[in-house]
Amino acid sequence: MKKYRLFGVISAVCVTLSILYSLVGNSQTPTSRVLLSTNPSLERILPFEAGTERHQSPVNLTLQAVDAAGKSLENAKISLEILTPPSNPWLTTDFPIVEGTKLLQMNALAPDGKLEIQQMLPIRGNYQLLVKVSPLVANTFAPYEQSLNLNVRENPVKYKYFVVIAAILLAVGLLGGWVIGGQQELQQGEIAPQSVRLLLSSLTVVAILALLFINVSAEVAEAHGSGHHSSDTETIAPSSQKSQGLEIQLQGDKNATVGKLANLGLQVKDSTTGQPIKDVSLQVRAIALEDNLTVFAYKGLTDQEGKLTWQEQFFDGAPHKVEVEATPNPGSSRQFTPVKVAQEVEVEAIAPPIYIRLIGLFYFTAIVGIGMGMGLLIQHRRTPQARGNS
């Protein structure tokens, strides 16, 4: 009996130790992480709408790198990739070509562990932010990666528009089913009554007009960027300037395509010695010239090589202007008045694939067909009652 009691005591001690070990292990689970905040708040973020007059502004995204204790990590380098929501051919967005692509890719110096950008989000859905944090000074903290999600809801107005259009199409189908299902006498040599023939002819014309509208709209969207230029392009700043002992040059692609990243960069160096100048404050903006709308903005610093590089997708097929203003970093020994450089980027729009247009036409036709089926069913149930009353 004593042996069994001793065995029970040992078992209880082992269980207690395992519980304590698990508690200690759980207490060590907090690790370095990235905190994401947005302005406006997440529930108020709406996707970009081309051709609308409502006030639109990019979303302020703030990424804060903190350690396990929640303290900001200093002297960090933050790499950020923004991936757009995945493609869904059955429920496409306003920019089908943008779905499932990269919206932004950049490396930024974060002396206070914080990266702040302004980014216009083009479509609804779940965006993925891939963040890598590494130290600028070796061995100050362990580098880590984190994936963040940002869900953008659809504009509620579009649901209202869809309900109105669906109601109209359903009513048209219902009327058609009612007419076709009604008892009508055939004249000699007629395949169908005149009212039915007129209805079918009208539906054919409507279908042709709808298909033409979808295709013409796509062609207009494709030519959206080539036919409109803002008057600001006449006074655009040069892409390279030498001023106050500085040489600032904006580099990168001058032609871009919707759905693909454009390579952009800036080089700051001493105009006399050619040596790179680090820690120069830069204010970057990408502006859609057609509406004078800022789609991307970032304020940061040049790196050890006097450079700032990033890759950006211009999702709207219209001319854009990339503008950078260089200012001296507070406390720097080199002081100068702000210098601005800019470069225009022509963006090639891509029309949605034909199958996406046909899917939209299929939905409209299906709604009309449902309405027509309802009309036929009503007439079918009405006909026996009419015969019985007669």
Side-chain angles (χ1 to χ4, degrees):
M1 291 295 293
K2 291 183 178 180
K3 291 183 179 179
Y4 289 113
R5 290 178 181 176
L6 180 62
F7 180 76
V9 171
I10 294 173
S11 300
V13 171
C14 291
V15 171
T16 304
L17 289 175
S18 64
I19 294 174
L20 291 174
Y21 179 80
S22 63
L23 291 174
V24 172
N26 290 334
S27 66
Q28 295 176 349
T29 51
T31 58
S32 300
R33 61 195 185 278
V34 177
L35 306 178
L36 172 64
S37 59
T38 65
N39 186 21
S41 56
L42 188 60
E43 62 274 7
R44 296 179 57 191
I45 298 176
L46 296 177
F48 172 76
E49 279 191 58
T52 62
E53 295 183 356
R54 72 177 178 89
H55 175 70
Q56 299 182 85
S57 57
V59 179
N60 292 294
L61 302 175
T62 302
L63 300 169
Q64 180 68 63
V66 298
D67 59 16
K71 183 180 178 182
S72 297
L73 293 174
E74 297 182 351
N75 296 321
K77 177 183 177 182
I78 300 179
S79 300
L80 171 65
E81 293 183 21
I82 301 179
L83 308 182
T84 61
S87 176
N88 184 353
W90 298 104
L91 292 172
T92 61
T93 62
D94 290 347
F95 300 92
I97 304 300
V98 176
E99 298 171 8
T101 63
K102 281 187 182 181
L103 188 62
L104 180 70
Q105 182 172 332
M106 67 181 302
N107 298 318
L109 302 183
D112 56 354
K114 182 184 294 186
L115 171 61
E116 293 182 277
I117 65 169
Q118 296 179 37
Q119 176 67 57
M120 188 73 74
L121 302 176
I123 57 177
R124 70 171 186 274
N126 188 37
Y127 290 80
Q128 190 175 17
L129 282 66
L130 305 179
V131 187
K132 297 180 181 179
V133 182
S134 56
L136 291 176
V137 180
N139 301 322
T140 53
F141 62 87
Y144 62 94
E145 302 179 9
Q146 187 174 342
S147 177
L148 303 169
N149 292 317
L150 180 64
N151 189 55
V152 176
R153 65 189 182 96
E154 184 60 278
N155 191 339
V157 174
K158 292 190 176 182
Y159 294 118
K160 297 179 182 179
Y161 289 159
F162 174 77
V163 170
V164 171
I165 293 174
I168 294 174
L169 294 176
L170 195 66
V172 170
L174 185 64
L175 176 62
W178 178 277
V179 172
I180 294 175
Q183 287 185 330
Q184 301 185 45
E185 296 182 359
L186 289 174
Q187 301 296 329
Q188 186 176 4
E190 289 184 337
I191 300 176
Q194 183 180 6
S195 58
V196 175
R197 287 185 279 114
L198 289 174
L199 176 64
L200 294 176
S201 299
S202 300
L203 290 176
T204 303
V205 172
V206 170
I208 293 174
L209 291 176
L211 188 59
L212 285 174
F213 173 77
I214 293 173
N215 282 276
V216 169
S217 299
E219 295 300 326
V220 170
E222 188 173 9
H224 185 256
S226 59
H228 299 83
H229 289 267
S230 170
S231 59
D232 292 343
T233 58
E234 298 178 0
T235 57
I236 190 171
S239 60
S240 178
Q241 285 212 57
K242 289 185 178 181
S243 175
Q244 308 166 75
L246 298 177
E247 182 178 354
I248 303 176
Q249 184 176 12
L250 184 59
Q251 306 164 338
D253 298 335
K254 295 184 179 180
N255 294 281
T257 303
V258 173
K260 298 181 180 180
L261 292 174
N263 297 302
L264 298 164
L266 186 87
Q267 173 73 66
V268 181
K269 56 185 178 181
D270 191 294
S271 59
T272 303
T273 63
Q275 294 297 315
I277 302 176
K278 64 177 183 178
D279 295 338
V280 175
S281 296
L282 303 174
Q283 177 67 55
V284 181
R285 287 201 308 159
I287 304 168
L289 293 176
E290 191 174 47
D291 302 314
N292 195 31
L293 181 67
T294 299
V295 296
F296 170 74
Y298 165 69
K299 186 174 183 180
L301 300 170
T302 56
D303 60 15
Q304 295 290 331
E305 299 178 352
K307 293 181 178 180
L308 172 67
T309 58
W310 74 100
Q311 293 177 293
E312 178 182 354
Q313 180 185 164
F314 300 99
F315 55 84
D316 188 16
H320 286 67
K321 178 177 67 172
V322 178
E323 181 180 86
V324 182
E325 183 177 24
T327 56
N329 194 26
S332 173
S333 59
R334 185 186 292 267
Q335 296 295 313
F336 55 91
T337 57
V339 180
K340 184 180 293 186
V341 290
Q343 176 175 294
E344 186 174 353
V345 179
E346 292 289 340
V347 182
E348 178 185 359
I350 299 179
I354 186 65
Y355 74 88
I356 291 181
R357 310 180 208 177
L358 293 178
I359 288 174
L361 182 61
F362 168 76
Y363 288 148
F364 294 149
T365 306
I367 294 173
V368 174
I370 292 171
M372 187 172 292
M374 293 171 60
L376 289 171
L377 182 61
I378 293 173
Q379 281 288 24
H380 178 72
R381 292 183 176 180
R382 177 176 171 272
T383 300
Q385 295 178 1
R387 288 179 180 176
N389 293 335
S390 62

